Structure formats: structure tokens, C-alpha cells
């Protein structure tokens, strides 16, 4: 399957630390995310609970601090509204969404729901879900980000 990636300054964003496919057992684990940061930006799921930040998709699991969250390569998906409000006090790239077709991150990027029309400021989220073939946007977020990166660099 051929994908056309047209942006010269593309962000390649790992979904929860995944690079070669979904890995529910390790997603959002601190060590897993830190390893992925060596090569890619990472979308992480963050909760604010009992005056602390935690990583975790369905619940707060792995406690982290402000310093950890200030990594410029994070795309922080707030999992509860308390987190969204609290992160507004930090200089980080964060967002909140449920089933919105598009949202704007705190740094001004368009975070597009899978299958929506993309713009040059869009992050194409999980293009594999809808078999998106033409990707002309600011970045891609995927569980298979290594594959997209390899394709982009071989064009």
C-alpha cells in the first residue's frame, strides 16, 4: 500500500509509545515512552488525580511530575477535565477530546479524528483505521509510526 506524504517537516508521533503496532501491556508506561522519545514524538494519556499527574489510558496508573511532562516532544491527551485545567498552567502541548472531528491543541495544531479532511496544520490520527492514502498535513500519530517514518524517508 502506497501512502503519499507531502509535508517536508512532518511530525511523526507515536501513539502511547507504540512504534510497530498496538502494545496494550506497555502503552503509556514511563520506560516505554522514554525509549520511544529517542526517535519520535509521543502522544501520551495523562490524568490529574489527587494533586498528581499520572499516565494511563483508562485510568491513572503511572505517576509523573511536571518536569517529565514538559518534554517538547509530548502531545498530551488529557483524560479528565482536571488535567486539562491544570496543564494550562504549564508550557506544554496538550488537548482534550471525546469524539470531536477536530480539536486545536494548546500549541495551535489541528488534531484530526481518523477519517476527517486534513489541512496543512493537521495531525492525521491513526490513518490506518480508514486506509488514508494521501497524507498532506503537519504530522501523523499512529501505533505504526515506524512504518510511516520509513515510507516517508524512502520517497
Amino acid at each position: 500500500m502506497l501512502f503519499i506524504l507531502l509535508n517536508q517537516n512532518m511530525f511523526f508521533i507515536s501513539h502511547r509509545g507504540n512504534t510497530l503496532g498496538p502494545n496494550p501491556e506497555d502503552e503509556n508506561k514511563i520506560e516505554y515512552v522514554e525509549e520511544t522519545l529517542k526517535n519520535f514524538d509521543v502522544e501520551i494519556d495523562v490524568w490529574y488525580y489527587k494533586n498528581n499527574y499520572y499516565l494511563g489510558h483508562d485510568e491513572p496508573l503511572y505517576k509523573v511530575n511536571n518536569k517529565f511532562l514538559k518534554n517538547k516532544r509530548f502531545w498530551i491527551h488529557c483524560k479528565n477535565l482536571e488535567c486539562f485545567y491544570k496543564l494550562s498552567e504549564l508550557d506544554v502541548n496538550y488537548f482534550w477530546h471525546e469524539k470531536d472531528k477536530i480539536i486545536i491543541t494548546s500549541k495551535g495544531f489541528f488534531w484530526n479524528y481518523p477519517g476527517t479532511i486534513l489541512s496543512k496544520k493537521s495531525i492525521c490520527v491513526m490513518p490506518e483505521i480508514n486506509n488514508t492514502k494521501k497524507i498532506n498535513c503537519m504530522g501523523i500519530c499512529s501505533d505504526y509510526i515506524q512504518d510511516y517514518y520509513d515510507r516517508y524517508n524512502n520517497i
Side-chain angles (χ1 to χ4, degrees):
M1 181 178 315
L2 177 63
F3 290 87
I4 302 169
L5 304 163
L6 301 172
N7 188 321
Q8 296 301 312
N9 298 307
M10 177 94 49
F11 287 101
F12 291 92
I13 307 164
S14 160
H15 184 240
R16 303 179 190 150
N18 297 322
T19 59
L20 301 172
N23 183 357
E25 205 168 287
D26 290 328
E27 292 175 354
N28 286 304
K29 283 188 178 174
I30 295 167
E31 301 81 22
Y32 189 63
V33 167
E34 286 177 332
E35 184 63 27
T36 302
L37 281 171
K38 293 176 183 176
N39 298 305
F40 300 106
D41 286 15
V42 181
E43 180 269 346
I44 54 174
D45 298 323
V46 179
W47 298 79
Y48 191 73
Y49 178 71
K50 293 187 177 181
N51 297 316
N52 290 293
Y53 292 106
Y54 294 86
L55 302 183
H57 179 65
D58 294 321
E59 62 183 320
L61 295 172
Y62 313 108
K63 188 175 177 181
V64 294
N65 60 28
N66 290 5
K67 183 180 177 185
F68 178 84
L69 294 175
K70 288 184 178 181
N71 189 309
K72 299 292 185 199
R73 297 187 76 187
F74 280 146
W75 299 72
I76 301 173
H77 180 183
C78 300
K79 299 303 283 187
N80 60 350
L81 284 175
E82 294 83 0
C83 182
F84 182 83
Y85 296 136
K86 195 68 177 166
L87 284 178
S88 71
E89 300 170 9
L90 303 178
D91 182 25
V92 296
N93 190 21
Y94 66 97
F95 61 94
W96 161 275
H97 75 93
E98 290 179 323
K99 295 196 184 226
D100 307 286
K101 291 187 184 217
I102 187 169
I103 56 93
I104 301 173
T105 74
S106 62
K107 298 293 182 184
F109 295 98
F110 302 161
W111 193 264
N112 283 69
Y113 191 79
T116 56
I117 297 170
L118 302 171
S119 84
K120 291 180 182 179
K121 286 182 72 176
S122 291
I123 302 301
C124 180
V125 178
M126 310 297 273
E128 60 273 9
I129 290 176
N130 294 313
N131 201 20
T132 303
K133 290 190 172 37
K134 184 176 181 183
I135 302 173
N136 185 10
C137 58
M138 185 60 67
I140 298 171
C141 177
S142 174
D143 287 324
Y144 300 91
I145 202 62
Q146 183 67 58
D147 187 40
Y148 289 104
Y149 179 83
D150 291 346
R151 291 177 194 187
Y152 178 79
N153 287 300
N154 287 324
I155 290 179

